[in-house]
């Protein structure tokens, strides 16, 4: 075997050994936290990083949109939040773990409220510049106390600290991130509509979302022309 052939073979073996262990795990259930219809005409999925200002702004606009198109009250609309912690945001992983723990402990309604309250009232305290001079211990301790207050004490700071260091929760967050990567997600916020990336949706304003959703979800005027759905 020539040196070049040997080198190429060795490189191939190394690549297989490295990437063979990085296969995206197949989820037992569909990823994300979902709200709304089980068989929707429109399934809108949002990939958010809790420490990303653009995610916060997009979420705030969607809250206004949901006043008109509320997935909780719709037979035609489903909304899913995927937590996608970006690797260059220092506190993205730990905030995602805490939010996931809220969902598993208190349910998805509490999760949605937590995400909303965190975006509105806490995100600025967990940006890279704000925590540049803080240790991981300080950040985690402060986040546990803050999160307890956001859920009205239904979860104690000690329970949140345990969740932050829980290996199973860490693996869930990693799995969700790998799933996002497998769908071509490279940043936040990114939106999928019925499985397809919505181009430029990260820049959508209220009127843009209303016009987009109206193409798939019937307005009250159009509902009378649709067949009944159970």
């Amino acid at each position: 075997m020539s040196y070049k052939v040997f080198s190429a073979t060795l490189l191939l073996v190394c690549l297989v050994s490295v990437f063979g262990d990085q296969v995206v795990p197949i989820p037992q259930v569909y990823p994300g936290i979902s709200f709304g219809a089980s068989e929707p005409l429109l399934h809108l999925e949002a990939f958010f990083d809790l420490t990303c200002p653009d995610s916060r702004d997009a979420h705030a606009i969607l809250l206004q949109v949901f006043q008109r198109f509320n997935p909780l009250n719709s037979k035609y609309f489903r909304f899913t939040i995927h937590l996608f912690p970006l690797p260059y945001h220092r506190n993205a992983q730990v905030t995602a773990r805490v939010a996931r723990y809220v969902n598993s402990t208190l349910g998805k309604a509490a999760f949605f409220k937590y995400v909303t309250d965190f975006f509105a009232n806490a995100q600025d305290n967990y940006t890279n510049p704000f925590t540049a001079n803080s240790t991981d211990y300080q950040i985690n301790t402060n986040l546990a106390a803050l999160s307890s207050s956001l859920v009205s004490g239904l979860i104690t700071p000690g329970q949140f600290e345990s969740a932050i260091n829980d290996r199973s929760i860490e693996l869930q967050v990693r799995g969700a991130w790998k799933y996002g990567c497998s769908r071509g997600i490279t940043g936040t916020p990114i939106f999928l509509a019925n499985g397809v990336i919505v181009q430029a949706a990260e820049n959508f304003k209220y009127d843009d979302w209303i016009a987009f959703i109206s193409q798939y979800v019937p307005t009250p005027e159009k509902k009378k022309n649709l067949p009944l759905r159970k």
Side-chain angles (χ1 to χ4, degrees), residues 35 46 48 50 52-66 79 81 111-120 189 191 202 209:
F35 310 84
F48 287 151
L50 293 181
C52 168
D54 293 333
S55 293
R56 175 191 61 197
D57 295 345
H59 179 76
I61 293 172
L62 284 176
L63 289 178
Q64 300 175 45
V65 173
F66 290 165
F79 178 62
I81 293 179
F111 165 85
F112 190 85
K113 183 178 184 303
Y114 178 85
V115 168
T116 300
D117 291 344
F118 186 91
F119 274 145
F191 297 90
E202 65 275 12
W209 276 121

PDB file of all heavy atoms in Angstrom, residues 35 46 48 50 52-66 79 81 111-120 189 191 202 209:
ATOM      1  N   PHE A  35     -48.420  23.549  21.069  1.00  0.00           N
ATOM      2  CA  PHE A  35     -49.721  24.043  21.505  1.00  0.00           C
ATOM      3  C   PHE A  35     -50.663  24.065  20.303  1.00  0.00           C
ATOM      4  O   PHE A  35     -50.269  24.476  19.209  1.00  0.00           O
ATOM      5  CB  PHE A  35     -49.601  25.472  22.061  1.00  0.00           C
ATOM      6  CG  PHE A  35     -48.509  25.647  23.079  1.00  0.00           C
ATOM      7  CD1 PHE A  35     -47.202  25.871  22.678  1.00  0.00           C
ATOM      8  CD2 PHE A  35     -48.793  25.580  24.435  1.00  0.00           C
ATOM      9  CE1 PHE A  35     -46.188  26.029  23.625  1.00  0.00           C
ATOM     10  CE2 PHE A  35     -47.781  25.739  25.385  1.00  0.00           C
ATOM     11  CZ  PHE A  35     -46.479  25.961  24.969  1.00  0.00           C
ATOM     12  N   ALA A  46     -41.017  27.470  15.927  1.00  0.00           N
ATOM     13  CA  ALA A  46     -40.056  28.536  16.193  1.00  0.00           C
ATOM     14  C   ALA A  46     -38.850  27.968  16.922  1.00  0.00           C
ATOM     15  O   ALA A  46     -38.993  27.258  17.918  1.00  0.00           O
ATOM     16  CB  ALA A  46     -40.709  29.623  17.056  1.00  0.00           C
ATOM     17  N   PHE A  48     -35.899  29.087  19.132  1.00  0.00           N
ATOM     18  CA  PHE A  48     -35.523  30.225  19.962  1.00  0.00           C
ATOM     19  C   PHE A  48     -34.320  29.896  20.836  1.00  0.00           C
ATOM     20  O   PHE A  48     -34.173  28.768  21.319  1.00  0.00           O
ATOM     21  CB  PHE A  48     -36.671  30.626  20.901  1.00  0.00           C
ATOM     22  CG  PHE A  48     -37.837  31.307  20.238  1.00  0.00           C
ATOM     23  CD1 PHE A  48     -39.115  31.175  20.773  1.00  0.00           C
ATOM     24  CD2 PHE A  48     -37.674  32.092  19.106  1.00  0.00           C
ATOM     25  CE1 PHE A  48     -40.197  31.806  20.193  1.00  0.00           C
ATOM     26  CE2 PHE A  48     -38.753  32.729  18.506  1.00  0.00           C
ATOM     27  CZ  PHE A  48     -40.029  32.587  19.055  1.00  0.00           C
ATOM     28  N   LEU A  50     -33.037  31.466  24.363  1.00  0.00           N
ATOM     29  CA  LEU A  50     -33.558  32.356  25.400  1.00  0.00           C
ATOM     30  C   LEU A  50     -32.651  33.547  25.677  1.00  0.00           C
ATOM     31  O   LEU A  50     -33.097  34.539  26.266  1.00  0.00           O
ATOM     32  CB  LEU A  50     -33.804  31.576  26.695  1.00  0.00           C
ATOM     33  CG  LEU A  50     -34.928  30.540  26.643  1.00  0.00           C
ATOM     34  CD1 LEU A  50     -35.085  29.849  27.995  1.00  0.00           C
ATOM     35  CD2 LEU A  50     -36.240  31.183  26.225  1.00  0.00           C
ATOM     36  N   CYS A  52     -31.047  35.152  23.187  1.00  0.00           N
ATOM     37  CA  CYS A  52     -30.918  35.844  21.897  1.00  0.00           C
ATOM     38  C   CYS A  52     -31.918  36.996  21.825  1.00  0.00           C
ATOM     39  O   CYS A  52     -33.132  36.767  21.873  1.00  0.00           O
ATOM     40  CB  CYS A  52     -31.164  34.852  20.757  1.00  0.00           C
ATOM     41  SG  CYS A  52     -31.384  35.622  19.140  1.00  0.00           S
ATOM     42  N   PRO A  53     -31.455  38.239  21.692  1.00  0.00           N
ATOM     43  CA  PRO A  53     -32.373  39.384  21.606  1.00  0.00           C
ATOM     44  C   PRO A  53     -33.346  39.292  20.433  1.00  0.00           C
ATOM     45  O   PRO A  53     -34.502  39.709  20.542  1.00  0.00           O
ATOM     46  CB  PRO A  53     -31.426  40.583  21.462  1.00  0.00           C
ATOM     47  CG  PRO A  53     -30.141  40.131  22.060  1.00  0.00           C
ATOM     48  CD  PRO A  53     -30.044  38.672  21.731  1.00  0.00           C
ATOM     49  N   ASP A  54     -32.895  38.737  19.301  1.00  0.00           N
ATOM     50  CA  ASP A  54     -33.787  38.604  18.154  1.00  0.00           C
ATOM     51  C   ASP A  54     -34.908  37.598  18.434  1.00  0.00           C
ATOM     52  O   ASP A  54     -36.042  37.785  17.972  1.00  0.00           O
ATOM     53  CB  ASP A  54     -33.001  38.176  16.913  1.00  0.00           C
ATOM     54  CG  ASP A  54     -32.044  39.267  16.437  1.00  0.00           C
ATOM     55  OD1 ASP A  54     -32.323  40.452  16.699  1.00  0.00           O
ATOM     56  OD2 ASP A  54     -31.023  38.927  15.813  1.00  0.00           O
ATOM     57  N   SER A  55     -34.606  36.547  19.183  1.00  0.00           N
ATOM     58  CA  SER A  55     -35.652  35.603  19.594  1.00  0.00           C
ATOM     59  C   SER A  55     -36.672  36.301  20.479  1.00  0.00           C
ATOM     60  O   SER A  55     -37.888  36.112  20.331  1.00  0.00           O
ATOM     61  CB  SER A  55     -35.032  34.418  20.346  1.00  0.00           C
ATOM     62  OG  SER A  55     -34.228  33.631  19.504  1.00  0.00           O
ATOM     63  N   ARG A  56     -36.178  37.095  21.407  1.00  0.00           N
ATOM     64  CA  ARG A  56     -37.067  37.847  22.308  1.00  0.00           C
ATOM     65  C   ARG A  56     -38.002  38.755  21.515  1.00  0.00           C
ATOM     66  O   ARG A  56     -39.216  38.788  21.756  1.00  0.00           O
ATOM     67  CB  ARG A  56     -36.236  38.672  23.281  1.00  0.00           C
ATOM     68  CG  ARG A  56     -37.045  39.593  24.195  1.00  0.00           C
ATOM     69  CD  ARG A  56     -36.125  40.554  24.920  1.00  0.00           C
ATOM     70  NE  ARG A  56     -35.397  41.395  23.961  1.00  0.00           N
ATOM     71  CZ  ARG A  56     -34.307  42.093  24.271  1.00  0.00           C
ATOM     72  NH1 ARG A  56     -33.803  42.044  25.487  1.00  0.00           N
ATOM     73  NH2 ARG A  56     -33.722  42.838  23.341  1.00  0.00           N
ATOM     74  N   ASP A  57     -37.459  39.486  20.546  1.00  0.00           N
ATOM     75  CA  ASP A  57     -38.277  40.421  19.774  1.00  0.00           C
ATOM     76  C   ASP A  57     -39.308  39.682  18.927  1.00  0.00           C
ATOM     77  O   ASP A  57     -40.465  40.122  18.819  1.00  0.00           O
ATOM     78  CB  ASP A  57     -37.375  41.274  18.885  1.00  0.00           C
ATOM     79  CG  ASP A  57     -36.445  42.178  19.681  1.00  0.00           C
ATOM     80  OD1 ASP A  57     -36.691  42.367  20.894  1.00  0.00           O
ATOM     81  OD2 ASP A  57     -35.469  42.682  19.097  1.00  0.00           O
ATOM     82  N   ALA A  58     -38.903  38.564  18.326  1.00  0.00           N
ATOM     83  CA  ALA A  58     -39.837  37.793  17.508  1.00  0.00           C
ATOM     84  C   ALA A  58     -40.956  37.206  18.365  1.00  0.00           C
ATOM     85  O   ALA A  58     -42.123  37.186  17.952  1.00  0.00           O
ATOM     86  CB  ALA A  58     -39.086  36.680  16.779  1.00  0.00           C
ATOM     87  N   HIS A  59     -40.603  36.733  19.551  1.00  0.00           N
ATOM     88  CA  HIS A  59     -41.602  36.175  20.462  1.00  0.00           C
ATOM     89  C   HIS A  59     -42.614  37.236  20.864  1.00  0.00           C
ATOM     90  O   HIS A  59     -43.825  36.963  20.929  1.00  0.00           O
ATOM     91  CB  HIS A  59     -40.906  35.604  21.688  1.00  0.00           C
ATOM     92  CG  HIS A  59     -41.834  35.021  22.702  1.00  0.00           C
ATOM     93  ND1 HIS A  59     -42.444  33.798  22.540  1.00  0.00           N
ATOM     94  CD2 HIS A  59     -42.269  35.492  23.905  1.00  0.00           C
ATOM     95  CE1 HIS A  59     -43.210  33.529  23.578  1.00  0.00           C
ATOM     96  NE2 HIS A  59     -43.123  34.544  24.413  1.00  0.00           N
ATOM     97  N   ALA A  60     -42.147  38.448  21.120  1.00  0.00           N
ATOM     98  CA  ALA A  60     -43.053  39.527  21.515  1.00  0.00           C
ATOM     99  C   ALA A  60     -44.057  39.839  20.417  1.00  0.00           C
ATOM    100  O   ALA A  60     -45.242  40.099  20.689  1.00  0.00           O
ATOM    101  CB  ALA A  60     -42.240  40.779  21.876  1.00  0.00           C
ATOM    102  N   ILE A  61     -43.611  39.798  19.167  1.00  0.00           N
ATOM    103  CA  ILE A  61     -44.524  40.040  18.050  1.00  0.00           C
ATOM    104  C   ILE A  61     -45.544  38.909  17.940  1.00  0.00           C
ATOM    105  O   ILE A  61     -46.741  39.141  17.714  1.00  0.00           O
ATOM    106  CB  ILE A  61     -43.735  40.196  16.742  1.00  0.00           C
ATOM    107  CG1 ILE A  61     -42.893  41.477  16.787  1.00  0.00           C
ATOM    108  CG2 ILE A  61     -44.677  40.217  15.535  1.00  0.00           C
ATOM    109  CD1 ILE A  61     -41.925  41.623  15.625  1.00  0.00           C
ATOM    110  N   LEU A  62     -45.084  37.675  18.124  1.00  0.00           N
ATOM    111  CA  LEU A  62     -46.002  36.535  18.046  1.00  0.00           C
ATOM    112  C   LEU A  62     -47.072  36.593  19.134  1.00  0.00           C
ATOM    113  O   LEU A  62     -48.207  36.170  18.913  1.00  0.00           O
ATOM    114  CB  LEU A  62     -45.228  35.223  18.134  1.00  0.00           C
ATOM    115  CG  LEU A  62     -44.468  34.815  16.876  1.00  0.00           C
ATOM    116  CD1 LEU A  62     -43.663  33.548  17.135  1.00  0.00           C
ATOM    117  CD2 LEU A  62     -45.402  34.605  15.695  1.00  0.00           C
ATOM    118  N   LEU A  63     -46.714  37.118  20.297  1.00  0.00           N
ATOM    119  CA  LEU A  63     -47.720  37.260  21.352  1.00  0.00           C
ATOM    120  C   LEU A  63     -48.877  38.135  20.876  1.00  0.00           C
ATOM    121  O   LEU A  63     -50.044  37.868  21.198  1.00  0.00           O
ATOM    122  CB  LEU A  63     -47.086  37.866  22.609  1.00  0.00           C
ATOM    123  CG  LEU A  63     -46.130  36.979  23.400  1.00  0.00           C
ATOM    124  CD1 LEU A  63     -45.566  37.753  24.590  1.00  0.00           C
ATOM    125  CD2 LEU A  63     -46.817  35.708  23.874  1.00  0.00           C
ATOM    126  N   GLN A  64     -48.573  39.173  20.116  1.00  0.00           N
ATOM    127  CA  GLN A  64     -49.619  40.031  19.559  1.00  0.00           C
ATOM    128  C   GLN A  64     -50.408  39.284  18.485  1.00  0.00           C
ATOM    129  O   GLN A  64     -51.636  39.373  18.417  1.00  0.00           O
ATOM    130  CB  GLN A  64     -48.995  41.287  18.970  1.00  0.00           C
ATOM    131  CG  GLN A  64     -48.212  42.142  19.957  1.00  0.00           C
ATOM    132  CD  GLN A  64     -47.528  43.307  19.271  1.00  0.00           C
ATOM    133  OE1 GLN A  64     -48.119  43.999  18.450  1.00  0.00           O
ATOM    134  NE2 GLN A  64     -46.262  43.528  19.582  1.00  0.00           N
ATOM    135  N   VAL A  65     -49.695  38.534  17.649  1.00  0.00           N
ATOM    136  CA  VAL A  65     -50.353  37.767  16.585  1.00  0.00           C
ATOM    137  C   VAL A  65     -51.324  36.752  17.175  1.00  0.00           C
ATOM    138  O   VAL A  65     -52.421  36.536  16.639  1.00  0.00           O
ATOM    139  CB  VAL A  65     -49.289  37.061  15.715  1.00  0.00           C
ATOM    140  CG1 VAL A  65     -49.947  36.111  14.716  1.00  0.00           C
ATOM    141  CG2 VAL A  65     -48.424  38.089  15.002  1.00  0.00           C
ATOM    142  N   PHE A  66     -50.939  36.162  18.307  1.00  0.00           N
ATOM    143  CA  PHE A  66     -51.772  35.123  18.920  1.00  0.00           C
ATOM    144  C   PHE A  66     -53.048  35.686  19.537  1.00  0.00           C
ATOM    145  O   PHE A  66     -53.935  34.930  19.921  1.00  0.00           O
ATOM    146  CB  PHE A  66     -50.972  34.357  19.972  1.00  0.00           C
ATOM    147  CG  PHE A  66     -49.885  33.481  19.385  1.00  0.00           C
ATOM    148  CD1 PHE A  66     -48.885  32.962  20.196  1.00  0.00           C
ATOM    149  CD2 PHE A  66     -49.865  33.180  18.035  1.00  0.00           C
ATOM    150  CE1 PHE A  66     -47.880  32.165  19.664  1.00  0.00           C
ATOM    151  CE2 PHE A  66     -48.868  32.385  17.494  1.00  0.00           C
ATOM    152  CZ  PHE A  66     -47.875  31.882  18.306  1.00  0.00           C
ATOM    153  N   PHE A  79     -48.627  25.513  17.130  1.00  0.00           N
ATOM    154  CA  PHE A  79     -47.392  26.274  17.330  1.00  0.00           C
ATOM    155  C   PHE A  79     -46.456  25.477  18.224  1.00  0.00           C
ATOM    156  O   PHE A  79     -46.864  24.951  19.272  1.00  0.00           O
ATOM    157  CB  PHE A  79     -47.698  27.626  17.979  1.00  0.00           C
ATOM    158  CG  PHE A  79     -46.475  28.452  18.272  1.00  0.00           C
ATOM    159  CD1 PHE A  79     -45.651  28.883  17.259  1.00  0.00           C
ATOM    160  CD2 PHE A  79     -46.153  28.805  19.580  1.00  0.00           C
ATOM    161  CE1 PHE A  79     -44.521  29.652  17.524  1.00  0.00           C
ATOM    162  CE2 PHE A  79     -45.032  29.568  19.859  1.00  0.00           C
ATOM    163  CZ  PHE A  79     -44.210  29.993  18.824  1.00  0.00           C
ATOM    164  N   ILE A  81     -42.506  25.474  20.069  1.00  0.00           N
ATOM    165  CA  ILE A  81     -41.258  26.145  20.429  1.00  0.00           C
ATOM    166  C   ILE A  81     -40.166  25.090  20.568  1.00  0.00           C
ATOM    167  O   ILE A  81     -40.316  24.104  21.291  1.00  0.00           O
ATOM    168  CB  ILE A  81     -41.386  26.919  21.748  1.00  0.00           C
ATOM    169  CG1 ILE A  81     -42.341  28.103  21.596  1.00  0.00           C
ATOM    170  CG2 ILE A  81     -40.016  27.425  22.218  1.00  0.00           C
ATOM    171  CD1 ILE A  81     -42.541  28.896  22.882  1.00  0.00           C
ATOM    172  N   PHE A 111     -44.481  26.518  31.066  1.00  0.00           N
ATOM    173  CA  PHE A 111     -43.299  26.716  30.222  1.00  0.00           C
ATOM    174  C   PHE A 111     -43.457  27.955  29.346  1.00  0.00           C
ATOM    175  O   PHE A 111     -42.545  28.798  29.261  1.00  0.00           O
ATOM    176  CB  PHE A 111     -43.071  25.484  29.347  1.00  0.00           C
ATOM    177  CG  PHE A 111     -42.119  25.700  28.205  1.00  0.00           C
ATOM    178  CD1 PHE A 111     -40.751  25.582  28.388  1.00  0.00           C
ATOM    179  CD2 PHE A 111     -42.603  26.031  26.932  1.00  0.00           C
ATOM    180  CE1 PHE A 111     -39.870  25.783  27.327  1.00  0.00           C
ATOM    181  CE2 PHE A 111     -41.728  26.229  25.867  1.00  0.00           C
ATOM    182  CZ  PHE A 111     -40.356  26.116  26.078  1.00  0.00           C
ATOM    183  N   PHE A 112     -44.601  28.095  28.702  1.00  0.00           N
ATOM    184  CA  PHE A 112     -44.820  29.242  27.818  1.00  0.00           C
ATOM    185  C   PHE A 112     -44.776  30.538  28.610  1.00  0.00           C
ATOM    186  O   PHE A 112     -44.182  31.533  28.152  1.00  0.00           O
ATOM    187  CB  PHE A 112     -46.153  29.112  27.095  1.00  0.00           C
ATOM    188  CG  PHE A 112     -46.342  30.113  25.991  1.00  0.00           C
ATOM    189  CD1 PHE A 112     -45.838  29.867  24.724  1.00  0.00           C
ATOM    190  CD2 PHE A 112     -47.007  31.307  26.216  1.00  0.00           C
ATOM    191  CE1 PHE A 112     -45.992  30.799  23.701  1.00  0.00           C
ATOM    192  CE2 PHE A 112     -47.164  32.241  25.213  1.00  0.00           C
ATOM    193  CZ  PHE A 112     -46.662  31.988  23.950  1.00  0.00           C
ATOM    194  N   LYS A 113     -45.379  30.548  29.786  1.00  0.00           N
ATOM    195  CA  LYS A 113     -45.351  31.746  30.627  1.00  0.00           C
ATOM    196  C   LYS A 113     -43.923  32.047  31.071  1.00  0.00           C
ATOM    197  O   LYS A 113     -43.497  33.215  31.108  1.00  0.00           O
ATOM    198  CB  LYS A 113     -46.258  31.567  31.846  1.00  0.00           C
ATOM    199  CG  LYS A 113     -46.334  32.805  32.742  1.00  0.00           C
ATOM    200  CD  LYS A 113     -47.276  32.588  33.908  1.00  0.00           C
ATOM    201  CE  LYS A 113     -47.416  33.865  34.730  1.00  0.00           C
ATOM    202  NZ  LYS A 113     -46.120  34.368  35.244  1.00  0.00           N
ATOM    203  N   TYR A 114     -43.168  30.999  31.406  1.00  0.00           N
ATOM    204  CA  TYR A 114     -41.785  31.207  31.830  1.00  0.00           C
ATOM    205  C   TYR A 114     -40.958  31.819  30.700  1.00  0.00           C
ATOM    206  O   TYR A 114     -40.212  32.783  30.922  1.00  0.00           O
ATOM    207  CB  TYR A 114     -41.157  29.879  32.265  1.00  0.00           C
ATOM    208  CG  TYR A 114     -39.705  30.020  32.664  1.00  0.00           C
ATOM    209  CD1 TYR A 114     -39.353  30.394  33.962  1.00  0.00           C
ATOM    210  CD2 TYR A 114     -38.679  29.814  31.743  1.00  0.00           C
ATOM    211  CE1 TYR A 114     -38.023  30.551  34.325  1.00  0.00           C
ATOM    212  CE2 TYR A 114     -37.352  29.965  32.090  1.00  0.00           C
ATOM    213  CZ  TYR A 114     -37.029  30.331  33.382  1.00  0.00           C
ATOM    214  OH  TYR A 114     -35.709  30.498  33.733  1.00  0.00           O
ATOM    215  N   VAL A 115     -41.090  31.276  29.499  1.00  0.00           N
ATOM    216  CA  VAL A 115     -40.354  31.808  28.355  1.00  0.00           C
ATOM    217  C   VAL A 115     -40.728  33.270  28.123  1.00  0.00           C
ATOM    218  O   VAL A 115     -39.861  34.131  27.909  1.00  0.00           O
ATOM    219  CB  VAL A 115     -40.636  30.966  27.095  1.00  0.00           C
ATOM    220  CG1 VAL A 115     -40.127  31.668  25.839  1.00  0.00           C
ATOM    221  CG2 VAL A 115     -40.005  29.587  27.234  1.00  0.00           C
ATOM    222  N   THR A 116     -42.018  33.564  28.191  1.00  0.00           N
ATOM    223  CA  THR A 116     -42.493  34.935  27.985  1.00  0.00           C
ATOM    224  C   THR A 116     -41.917  35.882  29.030  1.00  0.00           C
ATOM    225  O   THR A 116     -41.416  36.967  28.712  1.00  0.00           O
ATOM    226  CB  THR A 116     -44.027  34.974  28.018  1.00  0.00           C
ATOM    227  OG1 THR A 116     -44.545  34.131  26.974  1.00  0.00           O
ATOM    228  CG2 THR A 116     -44.544  36.389  27.828  1.00  0.00           C
ATOM    229  N   ASP A 117     -41.991  35.469  30.300  1.00  0.00           N
ATOM    230  CA  ASP A 117     -41.496  36.317  31.389  1.00  0.00           C
ATOM    231  C   ASP A 117     -39.979  36.462  31.345  1.00  0.00           C
ATOM    232  O   ASP A 117     -39.440  37.537  31.648  1.00  0.00           O
ATOM    233  CB  ASP A 117     -41.931  35.749  32.743  1.00  0.00           C
ATOM    234  CG  ASP A 117     -43.433  35.870  32.965  1.00  0.00           C
ATOM    235  OD1 ASP A 117     -44.074  36.644  32.240  1.00  0.00           O
ATOM    236  OD2 ASP A 117     -43.953  35.167  33.857  1.00  0.00           O
ATOM    237  N   PHE A 118     -39.284  35.387  30.980  1.00  0.00           N
ATOM    238  CA  PHE A 118     -37.820  35.460  30.900  1.00  0.00           C
ATOM    239  C   PHE A 118     -37.404  36.434  29.808  1.00  0.00           C
ATOM    240  O   PHE A 118     -36.530  37.285  30.019  1.00  0.00           O
ATOM    241  CB  PHE A 118     -37.226  34.080  30.629  1.00  0.00           C
ATOM    242  CG  PHE A 118     -35.721  34.065  30.690  1.00  0.00           C
ATOM    243  CD1 PHE A 118     -35.065  33.794  31.873  1.00  0.00           C
ATOM    244  CD2 PHE A 118     -34.956  34.356  29.566  1.00  0.00           C
ATOM    245  CE1 PHE A 118     -33.667  33.806  31.943  1.00  0.00           C
ATOM    246  CE2 PHE A 118     -33.575  34.365  29.606  1.00  0.00           C
ATOM    247  CZ  PHE A 118     -32.923  34.096  30.801  1.00  0.00           C
ATOM    248  N   PHE A 119     -38.016  36.315  28.645  1.00  0.00           N
ATOM    249  CA  PHE A 119     -37.699  37.241  27.561  1.00  0.00           C
ATOM    250  C   PHE A 119     -37.943  38.690  27.990  1.00  0.00           C
ATOM    251  O   PHE A 119     -37.119  39.570  27.720  1.00  0.00           O
ATOM    252  CB  PHE A 119     -38.558  36.928  26.331  1.00  0.00           C
ATOM    253  CG  PHE A 119     -37.992  35.869  25.428  1.00  0.00           C
ATOM    254  CD1 PHE A 119     -38.825  34.978  24.771  1.00  0.00           C
ATOM    255  CD2 PHE A 119     -36.628  35.774  25.202  1.00  0.00           C
ATOM    256  CE1 PHE A 119     -38.318  34.016  23.905  1.00  0.00           C
ATOM    257  CE2 PHE A 119     -36.100  34.804  24.349  1.00  0.00           C
ATOM    258  CZ  PHE A 119     -36.947  33.929  23.699  1.00  0.00           C
ATOM    259  N   ALA A 120     -39.075  38.920  28.636  1.00  0.00           N
ATOM    260  CA  ALA A 120     -39.486  40.294  28.944  1.00  0.00           C
ATOM    261  C   ALA A 120     -38.717  40.904  30.102  1.00  0.00           C
ATOM    262  O   ALA A 120     -38.425  42.109  30.105  1.00  0.00           O
ATOM    263  CB  ALA A 120     -40.986  40.319  29.244  1.00  0.00           C
ATOM    264  N   PRO A 189     -33.921  33.841  15.665  1.00  0.00           N
ATOM    265  CA  PRO A 189     -35.018  32.886  15.496  1.00  0.00           C
ATOM    266  C   PRO A 189     -35.115  32.405  14.049  1.00  0.00           C
ATOM    267  O   PRO A 189     -34.855  33.156  13.122  1.00  0.00           O
ATOM    268  CB  PRO A 189     -36.243  33.718  15.867  1.00  0.00           C
ATOM    269  CG  PRO A 189     -35.870  35.114  15.411  1.00  0.00           C
ATOM    270  CD  PRO A 189     -34.391  35.242  15.679  1.00  0.00           C
ATOM    271  N   PHE A 191     -37.952  29.998  11.663  1.00  0.00           N
ATOM    272  CA  PHE A 191     -39.315  29.470  11.701  1.00  0.00           C
ATOM    273  C   PHE A 191     -39.534  28.466  10.565  1.00  0.00           C
ATOM    274  O   PHE A 191     -39.062  28.671   9.445  1.00  0.00           O
ATOM    275  CB  PHE A 191     -40.337  30.605  11.574  1.00  0.00           C
ATOM    276  CG  PHE A 191     -40.286  31.596  12.700  1.00  0.00           C
ATOM    277  CD1 PHE A 191     -39.464  32.713  12.616  1.00  0.00           C
ATOM    278  CD2 PHE A 191     -41.032  31.406  13.849  1.00  0.00           C
ATOM    279  CE1 PHE A 191     -39.396  33.632  13.654  1.00  0.00           C
ATOM    280  CE2 PHE A 191     -40.979  32.316  14.897  1.00  0.00           C
ATOM    281  CZ  PHE A 191     -40.152  33.432  14.802  1.00  0.00           C
ATOM    282  N   GLU A 202     -37.590  35.891  10.359  1.00  0.00           N
ATOM    283  CA  GLU A 202     -37.003  36.520  11.534  1.00  0.00           C
ATOM    284  C   GLU A 202     -37.200  38.036  11.509  1.00  0.00           C
ATOM    285  O   GLU A 202     -37.074  38.704  12.545  1.00  0.00           O
ATOM    286  CB  GLU A 202     -35.516  36.190  11.634  1.00  0.00           C
ATOM    287  CG  GLU A 202     -34.644  36.746  10.525  1.00  0.00           C
ATOM    288  CD  GLU A 202     -34.598  35.862   9.294  1.00  0.00           C
ATOM    289  OE1 GLU A 202     -35.408  34.925   9.199  1.00  0.00           O
ATOM    290  OE2 GLU A 202     -33.731  36.116   8.424  1.00  0.00           O
ATOM    291  N   TRP A 209     -46.910  38.618   9.748  1.00  0.00           N
ATOM    292  CA  TRP A 209     -47.362  37.345  10.306  1.00  0.00           C
ATOM    293  C   TRP A 209     -48.857  37.133  10.045  1.00  0.00           C
ATOM    294  O   TRP A 209     -49.289  36.026   9.711  1.00  0.00           O
ATOM    295  CB  TRP A 209     -47.074  37.271  11.804  1.00  0.00           C
ATOM    296  CG  TRP A 209     -45.690  36.831  12.137  1.00  0.00           C
ATOM    297  CD1 TRP A 209     -44.744  37.503  12.844  1.00  0.00           C
ATOM    298  CD2 TRP A 209     -45.082  35.576  11.778  1.00  0.00           C
ATOM    299  NE1 TRP A 209     -43.589  36.767  12.946  1.00  0.00           N
ATOM    300  CE2 TRP A 209     -43.764  35.589  12.299  1.00  0.00           C
ATOM    301  CE3 TRP A 209     -45.513  34.464  11.062  1.00  0.00           C
ATOM    302  CZ2 TRP A 209     -42.889  34.517  12.136  1.00  0.00           C
ATOM    303  CZ3 TRP A 209     -44.635  33.396  10.889  1.00  0.00           C
ATOM    304  CH2 TRP A 209     -43.342  33.436  11.419  1.00  0.00           C
TER     305      TRP A 209
END
